[in-house]
């Protein structure tokens, strides 16, 4: 099976929102805030800064939705890799602020979609976190108990519950979290673009930032066709980060997340996720799946640790996911795969999002580690308001730009790491 020609795969084929008809930057422009990167983070920051009254310019190297914001699985999940106790122990009050961003992110996104009347097929039906074996189930049970102590109405699931509510006998149990939701990610990105533009932000596509230099009391950004002068700069390029900010690219691991979508399920889908919830499991090499708005089964995961942006020849990776899909849902084993696509996820050394507040009002917000659909909107709004001079009542940690060890050999090291993690997953470690 060959992957879809369009980078967004299913999402480009099923979009109901017209593409943003942007144009490249031409000439010079002066603004309060320049944002490099037109994904969820940059667009949310632009929208919320512009609503306060700042002049904002967004520079996107490709088309809107080209990167992870238009290619992800569309799962709106709460939380971070670490709980509040661990984050507070490491960062103090700012760690509690970061935890707060993660917990309230789905509510924030739901309110934003409603406020801006975004047509993006948002559904809030909850999520299942499933344990891939009995050892992992104990960890999921502990997580569920912790969430209940914090006031979240989480339900424990046994194997029979998973069969009844998810439609698979592959998992011994898990939890149900009512805060989860799903969305058509490319339509959300396009609608967020419309909202940011309506608020007054200027958006330029096919305008990669080539250089970033101090100029007087501000910054000068050059593109192939023009130049932006800004008092403050936000770089929100995540896994598509290049050499614009020295050392930043080496602080991130760009890892491909592969996805497949079946032909429409038809009657086969009646017993699968009848409530249209989303699912992710407990493996280190996480699998996630859901139904699409047009009735397909969409499944994604780390089929390999390639960081190449050119993945049209990765047929083996899509075949791996097809085998996984058949293992979870044997009734779908002969259902053709209609779409296969991939995009880069930004992985950080500590699996947390990184906010870098660099000298002279240069700001960087990257690294959602596969949890960015809701969190990037919330974090982008937090930083957009801060840059516009109306900060919220709490902070999040500021961390230094720290390179990954052996970054130049990342694909070899990551491939070994993936194989080791697969072994640990098998034994439930």
């Amino acid at each position: 099976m060959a992957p879809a020609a369009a980078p967004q795969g299913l999402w480009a084929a099923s979009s109901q929102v017209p593409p943003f008809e942007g144009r490249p930057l031409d000439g010079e422009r002066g603004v309060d805030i320049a944002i490099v990167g037109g994904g969820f983070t940059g667009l949310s920051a632009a929208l919320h800064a512009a609503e306060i009254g700042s002049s904002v310019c967004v520079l996107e190297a490709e088309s809107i939705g080209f990167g992870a914001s238009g290619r992800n699985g569309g799962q709106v999940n709460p939380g971070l890799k670490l709980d509040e106790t661990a984050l507070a122990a490491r960062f103090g009050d700012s760690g509690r602020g970061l935890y707060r961003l993660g917990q309230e992110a789905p509510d924030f996104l739901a309110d934003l979609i409603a406020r801006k009347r975004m047509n993006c097929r948002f559904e809030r039906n909850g999520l299942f976190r499933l344990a891939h074996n009995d050892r992992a189930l104990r960890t999921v049970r502990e997580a569920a108990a912790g969430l209940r102590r914090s006031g979240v109405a989480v339900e424990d699931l046994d194997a029979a519950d998973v069969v009844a509510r998810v439609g698979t006998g592959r998992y011994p149990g898990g939890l149900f979290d009512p805060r989860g939701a799903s969305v058509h990610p490319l339509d959300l990105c396009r609608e967020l673009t419309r909202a940011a533009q309506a608020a007054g932000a200027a958006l330029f596509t096919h305008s990669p930032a080539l250089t970033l230099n101090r100029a007087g009391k501000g910054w000068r950004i050059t593109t192939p066709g023009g130049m932006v002068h800004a008092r403050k700069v936000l770089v929100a390029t995540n896994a598509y980060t290049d050499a614009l900010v020295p050392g930043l690219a080496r602080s991130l691991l760009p890892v491909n997340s592969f996805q497949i979508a079946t032909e429409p399920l038809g009657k086969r889908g009646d017993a699968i996720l009848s409530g249209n919830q989303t699912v992710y499991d407990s493996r280190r090499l996480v699998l996630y799946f859901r139904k699409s708005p047009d009735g397909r089964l969409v499944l994604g995961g780390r089929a390999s640790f390639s960081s190449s942006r050119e993945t049209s020849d990765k047929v083996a990776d899509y075949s791996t996911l097809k085998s996984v899909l058949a293992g979870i849902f044997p009734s779908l084993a002969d259902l053709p795969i209609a779409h296969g696509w991939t995009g880069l996820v930004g992985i950080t050394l500590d699996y947390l999002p990184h906010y870098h507040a660099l000298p002279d009002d240069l700001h960087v917000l990257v690294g959602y580690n596969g949890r960015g659909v809701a969190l990037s909107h919330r974090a982008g709004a937090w930083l957009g308001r801060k840059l516009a001079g109306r900060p919220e009542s709490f902070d999040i940690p500021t961390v230094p730009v720290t390179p990954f060890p052996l970054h130049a050999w990342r694909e070899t090291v990551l491939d070994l790491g993936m194989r080791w993690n697969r072994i640990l997953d098998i034994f439930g470690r």
Side-chain angles (χ1 to χ4, degrees):
M1 179 202 70
Q8 295 87 2
L10 171 65
W11 308 129
S14 61
S15 176
Q16 295 179 352
V17 178
F20 174 66
E21 297 295 339
R23 59 182 178 83
L25 177 67
D26 183 15
E28 295 193 25
R29 176 178 289 263
V31 293
D32 297 324
I33 304 167
I35 297 174
V36 180
F40 287 153
T41 302
L43 293 171
S44 182
L47 167 62
H48 291 89
E51 286 183 324
I52 292 171
S54 290
S55 57
V56 182
C57 172
V58 177
L59 300 173
E60 166 56 44
E62 302 285 349
S63 57
I64 292 295
F66 173 85
S69 296
R71 306 193 212 181
N72 63 79
Q75 296 200 10
V76 181
N77 297 339
L80 300 164
K81 295 285 187 181
L82 299 181
D83 62 18
E84 185 173 18
T85 300
L87 288 169
R90 179 174 174 184
F91 298 112
D93 284 343
S94 65
R96 294 186 180 91
L98 182 58
Y99 178 80
R100 173 178 171 178
L101 281 189
Q103 295 304 305
E104 67 188 30
D107 285 341
F108 177 86
L109 180 56
D111 291 343
L112 177 63
I113 289 170
R115 180 166 69 90
K116 294 299 181 181
R117 299 181 180 181
M118 296 183 183
N119 172 26
C120 55
R121 285 167 279 182
F122 178 81
E123 291 188 62
R124 195 154 199 192
N125 299 315
L127 68 89
F128 295 114
R129 178 183 173 190
L130 303 182
H132 69 286
N133 57 30
D134 290 332
R135 185 189 292 266
L137 183 57
R138 292 196 288 272
T139 301
V140 174
R141 289 277 187 266
E142 292 171 1
L147 287 169
R148 282 193 291 270
R149 287 193 296 270
S150 69
V152 182
V154 170
E155 303 172 38
D156 288 327
L157 308 176
D158 61 20
D161 295 325
V162 176
V163 171
R165 300 175 67 176
V166 182
T168 175
R170 171 65 183 79
Y171 296 94
L175 65 79
F176 172 72
D177 186 332
R179 298 173 297 168
S182 62
V183 72
H184 189 294
L186 182 58
D187 282 355
L188 173 59
C189 196
R190 290 172 175 176
E191 288 281 62
L192 184 60
T193 302
R194 174 187 58 78
Q197 188 177 45
L203 298 114
F204 298 97
T205 57
H206 303 287
S207 299
L210 302 178
T211 64
L212 171 64
N213 296 296
R214 288 287 289 162
K217 295 182 178 180
W219 293 89
R220 181 177 62 245
I221 305 173
T222 61
T223 73
M227 183 181 300
V228 175
H229 301 271
R231 293 192 299 110
K232 303 175 182 181
V233 173
L234 165 59
V235 175
T237 46
N238 204 26
Y240 294 82
T241 294
D242 56 20
L244 186 69
V245 177
L248 181 61
R250 291 187 292 115
S251 74
L252 291 160
L253 293 179
V255 175
N256 267 300
S257 186
F258 293 83
Q259 295 175 76
I260 57 174
T262 67
E263 292 288 353
L265 298 174
K267 291 188 177 299
R268 301 192 211 196
D270 292 348
I272 296 174
L273 293 171
S274 58
N276 284 338
Q277 303 90 347
T278 63
V279 182
Y280 70 96
D281 73 15
S282 60
R283 307 170 211 233
R284 284 171 172 79
L285 303 177
V286 176
L287 286 171
Y288 52 94
F289 53 92
R290 58 171 285 201
K291 282 182 178 176
S292 67
D294 59 351
R296 306 168 190 270
L297 200 290
V298 180
L299 180 142
R302 310 285 193 273
S304 77
F305 265 125
S306 166
S307 62
S308 170
R309 299 189 190 190
E310 299 299 328
T311 57
S312 59
D313 60 340
K314 300 288 183 178
V315 176
D317 295 311
Y318 297 105
S319 297
T320 297
L321 289 183
K322 182 171 172 56
S323 297
V324 170
L325 175 63
I328 298 173
F329 298 108
S331 66
L332 305 183
D334 63 342
L335 187 64
I337 301 301
H339 299 276
W341 70 102
T342 187
L344 296 178
V345 175
I347 305 295
T348 57
L349 196 58
D350 56 6
Y351 293 98
L352 294 172
H354 284 179
Y355 170 42
H356 307 298
L358 303 177
D360 302 314
D361 264 325
L362 174 59
H363 303 260
V364 177
L365 189 53
V366 293
Y368 297 104
N369 299 279
R371 292 171 175 250
V373 176
L375 184 57
S376 59
H377 285 83
R378 182 65 186 96
W382 178 88
L383 187 50
R385 290 165 178 162
K386 177 183 175 74
L387 298 184
R390 197 177 297 174
E392 299 190 40
S393 60
F394 64 95
D395 288 322
I396 66 174
T398 299
V399 298
V401 177
T402 304
F404 263 91
L406 304 176
H407 190 272
W409 295 276
R410 59 188 177 276
E411 291 207 16
T412 300
V413 173
L414 282 169
D415 184 64
L416 291 172
M418 184 185 71
R419 296 173 190 275
W420 175 242
N421 277 306
R422 276 185 175 155
I423 294 171
L424 294 179
D425 282 338
I426 291 170
F427 291 100
R429 297 292 181 180

